[in-house]
Amino acid sequence: MMGAISIRQAQIADLNAITSLLLQLGYNATEPQLQQYLDAPKRSDEIYLAESEGVVAGLISLIFFDYFPSQQQICRITALVVTEASRGLGVGTQLIDFAKDRASKRGCCQLEVTTSMRREKTQAYYESIGFEKTSFRYIQAIEGK
């Protein structure tokens, strides 16, 4: 059982927690790399942490973008992770509800999320809370990056 969850914007002081959460998603970012990223003035994303009694329990990052074909704005969850100790306690769902609220306030018409095709449990979770699988995403590396 955990205390009440509060959600707040990520800060430079949270680098250690952010690093370990991203590692759980398979991303090996270093604290200096993350600090440089978080300090970038023109970032187009928002990063939030779920916290309970001063302990970080999860992270969500969002981007907002214009989608030309429908002339609407969309909010995409680019990362969602809950610490192993906090899984199954509703933290992820609270973070998604928070994302829906942010998206609504920004005038978005939909919330979308991507996940690896390997993460079958994650896909089942998203479908269980009302997300619908609507497309495939193909990626190609850009030379020199």
Side-chain angles (χ1 to χ4, degrees):
M1 188 66 198
M2 65 192 313
I5 297 287
S6 61
I7 297 173
R8 62 172 177 80
Q9 213 149 10
Q11 311 291 327
I12 294 294
D14 301 311
L15 284 176
N16 191 264
I18 295 169
T19 302
S20 63
L21 285 164
L22 286 178
L23 201 55
Q24 291 184 44
L25 288 177
Y27 294 98
N28 291 308
T30 66
E31 287 191 30
Q33 286 170 329
L34 284 171
Q35 179 159 1
Q36 189 177 10
Y37 184 86
L38 291 175
D39 280 341
K42 292 187 177 175
R43 278 190 19 236
S44 60
D45 59 1
E46 296 179 357
I47 304 161
Y48 296 95
L49 298 177
E51 203 174 54
S52 175
E53 295 161 9
V55 177
V56 172
L59 173 149
I60 194 166
S61 59
L62 310 173
I63 57 171
F64 303 89
F65 60 95
D66 298 318
Y67 188 67
F68 169 68
S70 62
Q71 302 94 58
Q72 292 174 311
Q73 190 163 78
I74 292 175
C75 175
R76 176 181 294 158
I77 298 169
T78 56
L80 174 63
V81 60
V82 173
T83 61
E84 271 183 70
S86 304
R87 289 185 191 152
L89 301 173
V91 177
T93 303
Q94 285 188 55
L95 284 164
I96 288 172
D97 287 344
F98 177 84
K100 283 184 199 169
D101 188 55
R102 288 288 307 131
S104 173
K105 286 184 170 121
R106 294 270 309 244
C108 297
C109 67
Q110 70 185 44
L111 178 65
E112 65 178 36
V113 63
T114 60
T115 187
S116 164
M117 295 196 294
R118 294 186 314 273
R119 295 180 183 269
E120 292 179 11
K121 281 185 184 166
T122 306
Q123 292 169 43
Y125 166 70
Y126 288 138
E127 289 179 24
S128 77
I129 60 169
F131 282 89
E132 184 185 346
K133 195 182 290 183
T134 61
S135 62
F136 289 99
R137 184 167 85 151
Y138 296 90
I139 61 172
Q140 185 176 86
I142 305 294
E143 291 301 316
K145 291 284 174 195

